[in-house]
Every structure is written in structure tokens, then in C-alpha cells.
Amino acid sequence: MAASSGKVAEGDKLYAEAEKCLKTSFFKWSPDYDGASHSFEKAALCYRTGRDMDKASDAYLRAADTHYRNHASFQAGKMFEEAGKLCRERKALEEAAGLFQKASVCYHESGHPDTAAQVLLKAAKMVDSVNPLLAAELFLSAAELHQEEDKFRDVGHATRNAINMFARARDLDKMHETVERLKEVYQQLHSNRQLCELVAIEVLILLHKDDSVAATDAYNNGHLIPGFGECDHAPVLGRLLEAYRERDEEGLQSSCNDSIFRTMDNEISKLARDLTGEGLASGYSGPLNPHPSALPHSHGGGGAGAGARAPSSAAATASSSSGVRREPGPRPLQNLGDMRAELFSGSSAATSTATAGRGG
């Protein structure tokens, strides 16, 4: 206990030294951000050792602030991340995720997009059980950072995780929008198998929205993907749509329990199992697999490249008919300039309040 008290007292002394570095006078015109940042950082370590986590968190935030003002963005990011870890320890997960977002902005600004993406992925996995919508947006922000580096496989993995989170939250519009984004990634990778799977997910989403017309369009346009007609997904989706049109509850459940859905990610499997025949009122009687000439063609004519591009335009048709619209989400890195300007707005009030209530 005495050792802990001694460490806290040592931290208080270092914290006071840091604040002294920030003061200006007639002979000292500008704050010493370098000296202050290092003293705040040392103070945080002392508080942490002394188990005074409130003071440690305050000191880490002050260290982040002064590092950033000293143009040491990467170090500022590390301090935000340490403060976030303290929040995580006391189960304040959404607060921790917010600090990890600030860390990501700092890492990105310092020229380390991979590190920025990794801290966002940590934040997303941390909150996926308590706030799946926030987790989804964090996964999408990480995907954007990976895309800057042309790491399309990492983009695909992060975007797929976002789809799972939207499925968990049952935000079908956002889920559909993200499926469209992932199609573009798989087209870049020429991953036709994954594109076929996305057609199945899109059909599920649209049937959950009770839009069998758009679901049938999505299925029909799936035949523009090379190999779609020969893959496992096509016959199952054909039976699923037929059962939906015929109001065949037994056939519907049989299709939804097929292995193509059972082997997908757990949230997608749940979405399939939850599909029922209630509200089957579309009465659509169009063909499930029209002749290719009835389908929209891409500008490149035939060939594998044209087939890979076409689902994107087909998806736009499905999105239009199902009322899906793109809404701006809370993307932490979308407006980096604004985030930079407001980077410390949340922590400034918190640190000043904490400073006012600090013991000597």
C-alpha cells in the first residue's frame, strides 16, 4: 500500500512538472510541449503502477494532447491507445473504442495506415457484442485504410465482418449497401466463388424485406458471374425463390437450412433460419432465369471481365427497387481534417475537469 502511495505521489510530482512546462512568461513565449509530453507520460506510468487509474487516464490524455501539439502524431496515437486500454479494463468499451478511433487518426496522419487499421479492428472486436452497429462502422473504416494500400484481401475480410455486424443488428439497408461494396472488392480479386455467395446473401436480405421482385432480379443477374450456374448456390436459390413465390413454408425452410447457408458466417446462417413465409404478398410470376439477352450487359461485351463487372449494375437496380439508400455513417476517418480540428475537443473538457478534482 505504501509503495502504491509512493508511486502516486511520484506521479503527482511529474504531473506538476509537466504543467509547469506548459506555462509561458515574459521570458518564455511558447509552451515546452516536448518536456510536458514526456513528463505526462512518465506520470501516467507512475499512476498506473500505483493503481490510480483515473489519474493515469487523465495523464495519458494530457500526454496525447501535448505530443500532438508537438507534431508527434504517432506518439499521440500511442497515448490515446493506452488511455483506451484503461477504459477497456474497467469495461467502458464504447469509451475505449472512441479513444482507439482517435489513436487511429493520429497513426494515419503520421503515415502508418496499417497501424491505424489494426487499432480500428481491435476497437471493432471489442464492441461487437455490445454495439454491433458501431463495430460495423469501425470495420468499414479499417477497410478504407486497407484500400489505401491496395490490400484488397484485408479490405474484403474487414468488409465481410461489417456485413456480419449489420446482420446481427438487423440493419438490412446498411447490410445491403455493404454487400454492394464487397462485390466491388471481389471483382478486383476475381473471386467468383465469393461473388456467388454474395448473391445468396443479397437474396436473403431482399426476401427479409419482403421484396421478392428485387430478390429475383438479384438471382437472375447472378448468372452474369462466370460459373454461377454451376455453383451450389444457384439451384438452392432457385428453389428458395420458388418456395417464396408459392408460399411453400416447408420448401422455404428446407432451402434456408441448406448447407450453402449453414456453412456461411454464423450471423448469415441465423438470417437464413429466421426467414419465414409470412407476408408473401408480392405475387411476382416472372422467370427465375431469363435468357441472357434479357439481362443488362456491361459496356465491355462478353468475357470474364464483363461478367465480373455486371453484378454491380444489377445490384444498383435491386437497390433502387428495394428503397435502399446510402446514408452517411459515423466513419471516424472519412473527414480527417475535421477530426484533426476536433481531436482533443472531447478530452480537453475531461482533462480540465479531472485536473480540477485532482488531489495533491
Side-chain angles (χ1 to χ4, degrees):
M1 194 71 174
S4 296
S5 300
K7 277 295 181 182
V8 172
E10 183 181 347
D12 288 338
K13 184 177 180 181
L14 287 164
Y15 194 100
E17 289 177 4
E19 291 198 310
K20 187 176 180 180
C21 290
L22 295 176
K23 292 180 179 177
T24 57
S25 65
F26 182 77
F27 296 104
K28 182 188 174 189
W29 292 2
S30 59
D32 178 10
Y33 290 124
D34 185 56
S37 60
H38 288 94
S39 292
F40 279 131
E41 191 171 340
K42 290 177 183 178
L45 290 172
C46 288
Y47 291 139
R48 200 166 188 173
T49 304
R51 306 303 300 168
D52 191 331
M53 297 309 175
D54 288 340
K55 285 187 174 182
S57 181
D58 170 38
Y60 276 130
L61 291 176
R62 295 295 298 277
D65 179 59
T66 47
H67 272 305
Y68 190 84
R69 295 176 190 278
N70 197 39
H71 309 292
S73 298
F74 189 85
Q75 286 300 117
K78 289 176 67 175
M79 296 300 98
F80 275 127
E81 193 171 353
E82 290 301 319
K85 289 176 183 177
L86 292 181
C87 290
R88 183 177 61 190
E89 288 176 11
R90 58 183 174 85
K91 307 301 182 186
L93 300 182
E94 292 183 21
E95 184 180 349
L99 291 169
F100 279 16
Q101 288 177 31
K102 289 187 174 184
S104 178
V105 172
C106 292
Y107 292 145
H108 183 258
E109 185 179 305
S110 67
H112 294 82
D114 281 344
T115 307
Q118 289 305 315
V119 76
L120 287 177
L121 293 174
K122 288 180 189 176
K125 292 171 184 176
M126 183 172 58
V127 298
D128 63 0
S129 61
V130 297
N131 192 336
L133 289 177
L134 174 60
E137 295 297 343
L138 290 166
F139 278 126
L140 289 178
S141 291
E144 290 171 8
L145 289 170
H146 284 312
Q147 193 152 9
E148 287 184 13
E149 302 293 297
D150 292 332
K151 295 185 174 181
F152 291 109
R153 294 193 184 279
D154 291 331
V155 173
H157 185 68
T159 307
R160 186 59 182 261
N161 283 332
I163 290 172
N164 291 335
M165 292 298 100
F166 286 131
R168 179 176 294 177
R170 288 300 192 266
D171 190 333
L172 298 178
D173 285 349
K174 283 285 189 179
M175 187 182 176
H176 194 186
E177 175 189 332
T178 309
V179 166
E180 298 304 316
R181 294 176 63 170
L182 188 54
K183 282 182 181 180
E184 297 174 7
V185 176
Y186 287 154
Q187 287 162 14
Q188 291 278 350
L189 295 171
H190 305 290
S191 300
N192 292 331
R193 174 74 183 179
Q194 282 74 23
L195 284 169
C196 293
E197 188 172 294
L198 288 183
V199 172
I201 295 173
E202 185 176 11
V203 168
L204 274 183
I205 294 169
L206 292 168
L207 290 182
H208 266 283
K209 292 164 70 87
D210 197 23
D211 192 346
S212 63
V213 177
T216 303
D217 286 345
Y219 168 77
N220 287 337
N221 286 287
H223 286 81
L224 293 172
I225 301 170
F228 180 78
E230 292 75 44
C231 74
D232 296 336
H233 301 79
V236 175
L237 293 177
R239 292 194 298 271
L240 173 61
L241 287 164
E242 191 70 32
Y244 197 91
R245 292 168 57 196
E246 297 297 327
R247 308 177 185 220
D248 178 3
E249 184 71 33
E250 185 177 342
L252 188 70
Q253 292 304 314
S254 174
S255 299
C256 288
N257 286 318
D258 191 271
S259 61
I260 70 160
F261 294 118
R262 286 189 282 106
T263 55
M264 289 185 188
D265 296 323
N266 193 42
E267 297 301 333
I268 307 301
S269 297
K270 286 181 182 177
L271 198 68
R273 291 196 301 269
D274 290 347
L275 185 64
T276 68
E278 296 178 4
L280 306 183
S282 65
Y284 178 67
S285 57
L288 284 179
N289 187 14
H291 189 274
S293 62
L295 299 174
H297 290 281
S298 60
H299 293 293
R309 288 192 297 271
S312 182
S313 62
T317 303
S319 296
S320 175
S321 62
S322 62
V324 175
R325 62 188 184 281
R326 189 176 184 88
E327 298 175 358
R331 307 283 168 78
L333 295 176
Q334 209 166 36
N335 298 300
L336 186 58
D338 291 343
M339 175 62 89
R340 186 184 300 117
E342 299 175 8
L343 192 58
F344 305 101
S345 62
S347 60
S348 297
T351 51
S352 61
T353 301
T355 304
R358 294 174 63 85

